[in-house]
Amino acid sequence: GIQVEQSPPDLILQEGANSTLRCNFSDSVNNLQWFHQNPWGQLINLFYIPSGTKQNGRLSATTVATERYSLLYISSSQTTDSGVYFCAAPGSWGGNTPLVFGKGTRLSVIA
Amino acid sequence: EPEVTQTPSHQVTQMGQEVILRCVPISNHLYFYWYRQILGQKVEFLVSFYNNEISEKSEIFDDQFSVERPDGSNFTLKIRSTKLEDSAMYFCASGVLAGNEQFFGPGTRLTVL
């Protein structure tokens, strides 16, 4: 099945700094999702981005499907951005296939 | 905006007891999933459900687990006899189309003592 790798595993930022989180996947995908897990453990959907670029406020994401990676950009980071960021892709192409998650990037934003 | 809801948010149970975790998927969604996350680890797939039957299940989803859609709105995960290692965050998800975006609920934190 597909392998999903995220980097870096940990990231510490000063408030106001920008960052880029990376997600590599081992096979072609028709779906790629980014999530933020907040300190209470809730998974918040950030982006559904099988290809191209999307933006939502200070966050944006780009997926280059042909090169099997996706990037999550966080600009002007705030302490509320802290938590773990996961990317996930379907385990196989087509069908009712479950998502395979990466191990996540733990982000700490310091005031 | 419609969202997936889960109850309870936190459940504490004794080892060997049965627990039922409940989910209300988004109303027009047809595909349903359960995932779990042991503390500090990544999210893992348990089971998917479509057209009132299991589509796929992982090796984690053994005979202790079962899923049900008892009515038109609820989707439940039952653990028949809980073990210490079942302590985890359990997430329900739903989707309109197979392979497309999945929408996750806030999770139920299960603690087995």
Side-chain angles (χ1 to χ4, degrees), chain B residues 6-102:
Chain B
Q6 291 186 242
T7 54
S9 57
H10 190 187
Q11 172 123 27
V12 181
T13 190
Q14 295 290 325
M15 190 169 56
Q17 295 296 304
E18 174 184 286
V19 295
I20 297 176
L21 309 182
R22 290 183 167 80
C23 169
V24 179
I26 296 173
S27 62
N28 64 333
H29 287 188
L30 301 176
Y31 297 86
F32 313 111
Y33 312 84
W34 283 101
Y35 294 81
R36 82 169 187 191
Q37 182 187 32
I38 294 171
L39 185 63
Q41 298 186 19
K42 66 178 181 178
V43 179
E44 301 173 290
F45 167 71
L46 288 177
V47 65
S48 58
F49 193 84
Y50 170 71
N51 200 25
N52 283 319
E53 62 182 25
I54 291 174
S55 307
E56 190 172 341
K57 58 183 180 181
S58 72
E59 58 187 22
I60 303 169
F61 193 87
D62 62 21
D63 292 343
Q64 296 293 324
F65 292 91
S66 62
V67 289
E68 193 177 30
R69 188 154 162 82
D71 52 43
S73 59
N74 291 283
F75 180 49
T76 62
L77 174 69
K78 181 190 291 186
I79 308 175
R80 188 157 52 89
S81 177
T82 50
K83 306 170 190 170
L84 295 176
E85 54 264 37
D86 294 327
S87 295
M89 194 78 156
Y90 288 82
F91 294 102
C92 171
S94 69
V96 176
L97 298 172
N100 278 29
E101 186 174 11
Q102 294 181 22

